[in-house]
Amino acid sequence: RRSSDLTIPTGDVGFSGPSYWNSLNTANSFDWNISPNDQLRGRLAWTKYGAIDTNAQLPAFWATTPQRYWLVPLSEYHNFSPNINNEFRFGFNRYAQNYPVGSATYPGLTVFPNLAISELNGLQLGPDGNAPQETIQNLYQGVDNVSWVKGRHNFRIGGEFRWIISPQTFTQRVRGDYEWSFTSDFLNDFYPNPGNPAGGDFAERSAGDPVYYGNKKAFYTYFNDEFRMTPNLTLNYGLRYEWTGEPLAATSLQPLNAISSVPGLITF
């Protein structure tokens, strides 16, 4: 008989396992005075971080979540004359985070799903319910500023370019979530019944695990002038322009909206 017809007492189910994190950090710099008119500066910061993802209920499904951080700025300062100098800066910033699911396999399936049994106090079998997911962001940045002092004016003009490369993946229930009210239903391989009077049955899995590309570019430029009208009065004025592009995934997927168009009424 099914467990709905026979009450079997069950106790609390609890587990414990190791939990730790490791971090390796380094910071480096160099300064080079190339000539009286040229200076070069460089910095490097790097972090390697790894921690145990304990969101899965059973320690057998715990996995290390690697995270990496890079920060690399490079600056060059050049004096063309006592009144004109230039500042150029290049920066690279990388952030990478990954939530893996480990190497556990389930018979007959390509991945290990998340299995829950309400009768066992909601016992969860499977990896972290929010895994797998991954985020990577590479930011390239270039900035150039020119300063020119002429008479009572201090002109500044410059620009900045940013290029972001950011693939991301996180699809809910990509491995599948299955919940049973009774242990016997799971052991007898009954399909979860959402209409079960006892409640708690659930079965859902998404199709595929697409990658979202947040790649985009941006450009900024400005002009500024500090005009010393009198020894006690300075006028500061300028103009700035900014342009930020759309993420690559957004622009490439926009044409798919055409399926919602209604001829003669609305066009996407």
Side-chain angles (χ1 to χ4, degrees):
R1 292 183 298 175
R2 300 184 64 162
S3 295
S4 56
D5 303 322
L6 179 63
T7 301
I8 301 176
T10 59
D12 293 335
V13 180
F15 303 91
S16 62
S19 178
Y20 63 86
W21 59 269
N22 293 318
S23 180
L24 176 62
N25 304 277
T26 180
N28 307 273
S29 67
F30 77 87
D31 299 286
W32 180 21
N33 294 325
I34 303 174
S35 71
N37 295 323
D38 280 295
Q39 299 178 7
L40 189 63
R41 305 284 183 263
R43 304 291 184 265
L44 167 63
W46 177 70
T47 296
K48 177 182 179 181
Y49 177 83
I52 295 292
D53 180 8
T54 60
N55 287 318
Q57 188 171 349
L58 299 179
F61 295 101
W62 292 0
T64 303
T65 59
Q67 301 180 33
R68 303 291 185 270
Y69 306 88
W70 288 85
L71 180 61
V72 183
L74 184 66
S75 305
E76 197 270 342
Y77 306 91
H78 181 76
N79 295 324
F80 290 97
S81 70
N83 299 329
I84 302 177
N85 61 75
N86 184 83
E87 172 197 20
F88 173 77
R89 291 184 285 123
F90 170 80
F92 171 70
N93 187 312
R94 175 179 172 85
Y95 166 75
Q97 183 182 56
N98 182 25
Y99 284 86
V101 295
S103 58
T105 58
Y106 192 87
L109 299 178
T110 57
V111 293
F112 204 109
N114 283 99
L115 312 175
I117 302 175
S118 301
E119 190 179 41
L120 298 179
N121 298 314
L123 173 65
Q124 291 276 348
L125 301 176
D128 180 354
N130 291 320
Q133 60 173 295
E134 184 178 19
T135 298
I136 297 176
Q137 177 173 295
N138 294 323
L139 170 61
Y140 300 88
Q141 181 183 27
V143 179
D144 193 79
N145 297 303
V146 177
S147 178
W148 179 25
V149 178
K150 183 176 178 59
R152 290 185 293 172
H153 293 271
N154 184 2
F155 299 108
R156 288 184 62 85
I157 185 172
E160 176 182 353
F161 176 73
R162 295 183 183 181
W163 185 13
I164 301 174
I165 301 177
S166 181
Q168 308 164 30
T169 174
F170 174 43
T171 303
Q172 188 179 29
R173 299 190 174 98
V174 68
R175 294 175 291 101
D177 281 356
Y178 307 97
E179 302 178 11
W180 290 266
S181 298
F182 305 106
T183 309
S184 62
D185 290 355
F186 168 70
L187 296 177
N188 287 296
D189 200 24
F190 291 147
Y191 188 83
N193 178 19
N196 194 322
D201 283 23
F202 180 86
E204 186 173 311
R205 182 179 181 182
S206 55
D209 187 18
V211 178
Y212 175 86
Y213 291 93
N215 304 7
K216 65 179 182 180
K217 299 177 181 179
F219 173 73
Y220 317 96
T221 186
Y222 74 94
F223 169 80
N224 187 80
D225 178 28
E226 290 186 0
F227 176 48
R228 191 183 52 184
M229 302 180 66
T230 69
N232 300 324
L233 178 63
T234 300
L235 179 64
N236 189 313
Y237 59 94
L239 181 66
R240 180 177 177 87
Y241 173 80
E242 298 185 358
W243 177 86
T244 301
E246 294 290 334
L248 175 63
T251 56
S252 61
L253 296 178
Q254 283 285 8
L256 297 179
N257 293 328
I259 196 174
S260 300
S261 299
V262 180
L265 179 63
I266 188 171
T267 300
F268 290 92

